[in-house]
Amino acid sequence: MKKSSESLPLLPGLWRGFKASAPQRETISTGLPALDELLPHGGWPLGALTEILIDQEGIGELRLVMPALAKLSQGGRWLTWIAPPYVPYAPALAAHNIDLRKVMLVRPRADSDQLWAVEQALRSGTCGAVLAWPSSGDKRQLRRLQLAAESGNCLGLLFRSVRTAQHASPAALRLRLHITGEQLEITPIKCQGGWPKKPIKLALPLIP
Amino acid sequence: MSLWLALHFPRLALEIYSRQLPDDGPLAVSEQQRIYLCNEAAQNHGIRQALSVSAALALDQTLLIVPRDAENEENTLEQLAQWAGHYTSHVSLQPPHSLVLEIAGSMRYFRGFSPIIADISPKMQEIGYYMQYAAAPTPSAALLLAKAAPHTVIQDKNHLARTLGPMSINHLELPDPKIKPKLRAMGISRLDECLHLPRAGLTRRFGPQLTQTLDRLLGHQADPRPAYQAPAFFRQNCPLPAETDQAQALIFACRRMLLDLTRFLQLRAKGAQQVDFRLFHRKHCVTQFTLSLLSPSQDSQYLLMLLTEQLERLPLPAPVLEIQLQVTQLFSLSPKPLTLFPTPEQETADWTTLVERLSARLGQDAIGRPDCQEDYRPEQAWKMDLQEPTPTLHPPQTRPLWLLQHPQALSSEGSTPFHNGPLELLSSMERIENAWWDAIPVTRDYFMARNSQGSLLWVYRERGNGAQWFLHGIFS
């Protein structure tokens, strides 16, 4: 007699817990082996949003994503920074092996234009990664960004405050960063496509 | 063997307004307080030509009356002449409302006369002007037939006299207004009666004008028509029938103009990179704005999309009476490569589209690319513009990923700076000084510091300025 679960059609969104075949998602390696192990599918998810939740700046949140961004820019895809809180310093970006010819900065004057610009950049398909610091974002707006990232096959990185950790979010990956001493503690809050694993501690170098 | 195609636009004066109107209400064009032309909806209410304006308004209160704009009619006729250049190289303007095209040379390319007409008629309907056409071996015969007996095609000169015979002499174009009443008084009302009269007698009584006109009509005398030379720029005015401040109405009016612009560009195989718009308000007030593209384009849909973004955010001081579109510089287009796999050129095109879309809504200065500059001072070692960054040598020292736009002054106690708690200085000092010839002296000692929560900061101390501490960057 056939098992009833085997008669279910092979839907792409249906995740079967007893089989090891999770729906495959395209990822880009983070450049740090310990972090690759922590993340499902071994890297940052392309075509989805990733939220990085921090309590203060300067703990290594940008250095964490620099290797992947360097690889994307060297591969010819654009990196778009939308409404960054400070100036991304060009010599430092170059020192992290980012191709400055593929970096674009967008500074909208109005907050309402921010989310629009993020959506346009994610959807365009020409950007490999979009970094945004959204000042606000309810679930509906984030869902739109998630769909835009899917259609543009883009790595969407949203840097938000740790206070938003308890709000639900449609992002595929949510990581909380906290600095303890000289090491950065990375706690996965949400990992789509895998079980959240234990937090890890990394020491990030200042220059690669 | 020559063949001329005449295109007559009897309703041009009306259509330059009604093209811009989204609905089909009664509309009439007035000249000197009398109705010059009116549309079907107005005719149903009993309005006819030469009726006085007040009488027309009494018949139909909803009638929209607009003054006749002869200049705009001329411009429109010129644009139609440019459009007709698609079919032949010799187009001649016959103001006020006609064009005559020499198409004997184009017959071989189009393989006959009927394909030309089969192509022109639907396209003209699409553009939105009502057209009457006729073809004949001489231009004046073609013009006469287009007005009097539209859709007549005569290809053989010998049939000309026979076909033109029954036409009334009113259709003859004579500069002297006294000739026609004299002919009518003689009992001559048709052209064939006129042609039967002896030539010598006609010349003696009416002068050489009448016989010359008849000769040119039948092809016995040459009738050269000067060809129209198109200008190398595009300018079109669109007077709105009623002043408006709604973005939707403006976009609707601009859509037609952008279609005309696309046709103009396609004829020349060129693209436009800057499109200037001027909105005219009352009291000679003008609002100007420009649509700038990164690379020349012919696509009217794309321009309309950019225009929509810009118009929806443009503040208007007063309602708009007229819109003018102008393109003064034409650029050659690079041919689009048709490949199976996305090429680098296509990806550049996608990026260009994204930048144009963002800058149309956010403004040109909201977008930039960071670049390095050769300078020891950290705040001068970067710049932002849309040019491609140049490869430069990078300093070997560690630099923070975030730089503050303006260094933030920090309070200090003794030699320890404070920022959310005391800062612990980590690295050894890096001294940055600029040259004595620079306007602003910079003598700073830079340190990497960690604050009590664990963030890494880049701070400096000004030498000689009371040893003030500043925060300049964050090692993110």
Side-chain angles (χ1 to χ4, degrees):
Chain A
M1 193 181 89
K2 262 209 259 187
K3 278 195 205 157
S4 55
S5 57
E6 275 174 10
S7 60
L8 283 171
L10 283 165
L11 295 171
L14 193 66
W15 184 72
R16 292 145 188 264
F18 56 88
K19 279 201 184 143
S21 60
Q24 279 306 310
R25 175 171 253 147
E26 205 184 326
T27 55
I28 180 161
S29 159
T30 61
L32 305 156
L35 187 56
D36 276 344
E37 266 190 46
L38 177 71
L39 300 178
H41 312 300
W44 300 114
L46 283 175
L49 287 183
T50 300
E51 276 188 23
I52 297 186
L53 308 172
I54 48 174
D55 44 9
Q56 48 170 337
E57 284 135 359
I59 56 179
E61 70 273 19
L62 281 186
R63 274 177 283 148
L64 196 66
V65 299
M66 277 297 144
L69 293 183
K71 203 158 133 193
L72 280 172
S73 73
Q74 302 286 350
R77 293 191 77 183
W78 284 82
L79 308 175
T80 308
W81 300 53
I82 300 186
Y86 306 100
V87 173
Y89 196 40
L93 290 175
H96 279 92
N97 296 326
I98 293 200
D99 188 354
L100 286 178
R101 290 173 301 175
K102 296 283 180 193
V103 177
M104 181 160 73
L105 281 182
V106 180
R107 286 185 161 133
R109 271 176 287 252
D111 274 349
S112 51
D113 290 338
Q114 244 186 46
L115 287 175
W116 176 83
V118 175
E119 191 183 343
Q120 292 300 316
L122 284 170
R123 195 185 293 278
S124 75
T126 176
C127 293
V130 174
L131 293 89
W133 285 259
S135 46
S136 62
D138 63 12
K139 221 164 70 164
R140 197 172 52 91
Q141 286 162 332
L142 291 176
R143 178 100 191 108
R144 276 185 73 150
L145 296 182
Q146 164 74 20
L147 292 171
E150 263 171 50
S151 76
N153 195 28
C154 183
L155 169 61
L157 288 165
L158 299 181
F159 294 87
R160 302 174 79 194
S161 159
V162 122
R163 285 191 294 273
T164 59
Q166 58 247 53
H167 303 158
S169 159
L173 180 66
R174 298 182 90 192
L175 299 175
R176 181 169 61 208
L177 306 185
H178 181 67
I179 193 132
T180 47
E182 289 192 21
Q183 295 207 315
L184 182 67
E185 188 183 331
I186 307 173
T187 315
I189 303 178
K190 175 178 172 184
C191 286
Q192 205 176 63
W195 299 111
K197 302 197 179 103
K198 284 208 176 49
I200 57 167
K201 285 201 170 106
L202 285 180
L204 290 172
L206 275 173
I207 36 171
Chain B
M1 216 277 312
S2 66
L3 188 62
W4 294 78
L5 173 67
L7 304 176
H8 179 59
F9 304 96
R11 300 187 197 155
L12 190 65
L14 196 63
E15 277 160 350
I16 50 176
Y17 289 105
S18 63
R19 271 175 102 214
Q20 263 62 250
L21 279 177
D23 60 5
D24 259 330
L27 179 69
V29 174
S30 72
E31 192 180 24
Q32 290 170 354
Q33 297 303 314
R34 296 229 162 239
I35 300 286
Y36 177 75
L37 206 58
C38 58
N39 68 352
E40 256 182 64
Q43 278 174 353
N44 291 341
H45 289 263
I47 296 166
R48 302 278 175 264
Q49 247 182 340
L51 201 61
S52 78
V53 164
S54 38
L57 281 172
L59 281 171
D60 178 13
Q61 261 132 17
T62 62
L63 182 68
L64 185 60
I65 299 191
V66 285
R68 186 177 169 198
D69 192 353
E71 198 187 309
N72 209 351
E73 284 173 33
E74 232 180 83
N75 293 340
T76 314
L77 199 65
E78 280 180 15
Q79 255 139 45
L80 287 167
Q82 287 173 29
W83 173 84
H86 184 64
Y87 298 96
T88 174
S89 55
H90 192 126
V91 179
S92 184
L93 291 176
Q94 299 300 318
H97 296 141
S98 310
L99 290 174
V100 63
L101 285 69
E102 206 284 304
I103 53 167
S106 320
M107 296 253 281
R108 191 158 167 175
Y109 174 74
F110 285 95
R111 293 171 215 248
F113 176 74
S114 15
I116 301 182
I117 279 300
D119 203 39
I120 288 187
S121 308
K123 284 207 179 126
M124 191 51 82
Q125 269 186 344
E126 207 184 282
I127 300 177
Y129 293 107
Y130 173 71
M131 173 186 83
Q132 285 172 247
Y133 72 88
T138 62
S140 24
L143 283 166
L144 196 152
L145 289 169
K147 287 180 198 154
H151 309 294
T152 314
V153 176
I154 309 171
Q155 296 206 14
D156 193 355
K157 228 178 188 180
N158 303 326
H159 297 156
L160 208 51
R162 199 169 53 209
T163 320
L164 287 174
M167 302 284 160
S168 150
I169 53 165
N170 288 333
H171 293 120
L172 279 177
E173 280 183 29
L174 295 162
D176 189 357
K178 293 197 268 259
I179 297 184
K180 285 188 207 167
K182 274 196 213 169
L183 280 171
R184 273 197 290 270
M186 281 166 51
I188 313 263
S189 59
R190 286 159 45 127
L191 270 177
D192 49 3
E193 290 165 6
C194 206
L195 289 168
H196 283 319
L197 291 171
R199 270 183 78 92
L202 273 181
T203 320
R204 220 180 13 244
R205 201 187 276 230
F206 298 107
Q209 266 184 35
L210 182 57
T211 33
Q212 270 176 10
T213 309
L214 290 172
D215 281 342
R216 283 201 285 260
L217 201 64
L218 294 173
H220 301 310
Q221 207 180 65
D223 189 0
R225 303 276 169 153
Y228 170 69
Q229 299 287 342
F233 65 90
F234 180 87
R235 184 187 292 149
Q236 195 177 50
N237 278 51
C238 168
L240 300 172
E243 62 177 27
T244 173
D245 55 359
Q246 301 292 323
Q248 280 304 316
L250 294 174
I251 291 167
F252 188 84
C254 290
R255 188 184 297 148
R256 289 273 196 189
M257 287 204 286
L258 287 175
L259 277 173
D260 291 339
L261 174 66
T262 309
R263 242 172 268 120
F264 172 86
L265 293 171
Q266 275 168 353
L267 262 181
R268 285 159 182 72
K270 299 256 192 221
Q273 202 160 341
Q274 270 198 311
V275 186
D276 301 315
F277 284 87
R278 297 172 90 195
L279 305 173
F280 295 94
H281 311 280
R282 236 178 251 279
K283 295 184 193 160
H284 304 288
C285 195
V286 180
T287 308
Q288 290 191 34
F289 64 93
T290 309
L291 275 184
S292 299
L293 304 174
L294 280 178
S295 62
S297 160
Q298 265 181 4
D299 194 351
S300 69
Q301 286 297 325
Y302 184 58
L303 288 170
L304 189 67
M305 190 256 305
L306 290 179
L307 178 68
T308 312
E309 298 273 355
Q310 198 141 6
L311 266 182
E312 278 173 354
R313 320 195 118 234
L314 189 72
L316 290 175
V320 179
L321 292 169
E322 193 175 340
I323 309 178
Q324 186 189 70
L325 195 161
Q326 184 172 293
V327 175
T328 40
Q329 277 188 313
L330 303 178
F331 298 90
S332 38
L333 292 169
S334 46
K336 270 192 212 138
L338 298 168
T339 54
L340 279 178
F341 306 105
T343 55
E345 289 89 23
Q346 194 182 350
E347 282 168 10
T348 317
D350 291 337
W351 177 75
T352 312
T353 313
L354 175 66
V355 170
E356 281 168 5
R357 187 173 295 153
L358 290 174
S359 55
R361 177 159 165 163
L362 307 173
Q364 289 266 4
D365 47 355
I367 317 237
R369 287 157 84 168
D371 188 12
C372 296
Q373 261 186 344
E374 296 273 357
D375 199 310
Y376 286 115
R377 289 170 290 176
E379 64 271 20
Q380 302 296 336
W382 74 282
K383 63 179 182 330
M384 186 155 114
D385 53 35
L386 270 174
Q387 307 300 322
E388 179 130 336
T390 46
T392 48
L393 290 172
H394 306 300
Q397 304 86 357
T398 324
R399 289 284 178 267
L401 277 170
W402 285 138
L403 190 80
L404 267 69
Q405 190 91 19
H406 303 287
Q408 186 184 347
L410 301 175
S411 57
S412 63
E413 210 177 81
S415 63
T416 323
F418 271 74
H419 181 69
N420 298 336
L423 298 180
E424 181 199 334
L425 300 173
L426 296 175
S427 68
S428 55
M429 186 181 70
E430 182 192 344
R431 178 161 288 178
I432 294 183
E433 283 185 12
N434 65 345
W436 56 269
W437 58 81
D438 285 326
I440 305 168
V442 164
T443 42
R444 300 173 184 162
D445 297 335
Y446 277 86
F447 297 88
M448 204 184 318
R450 179 180 286 130
N451 77 352
S452 46
Q453 283 90 24
S455 312
L456 280 173
L457 307 171
W458 204 41
V459 297
Y460 72 84
R461 178 177 55 193
E462 283 261 345
R463 262 180 50 226
N465 198 10
Q468 173 72 36
W469 285 94
F470 288 90
L471 170 67
H472 208 177
I474 303 178
F475 286 92
S476 201

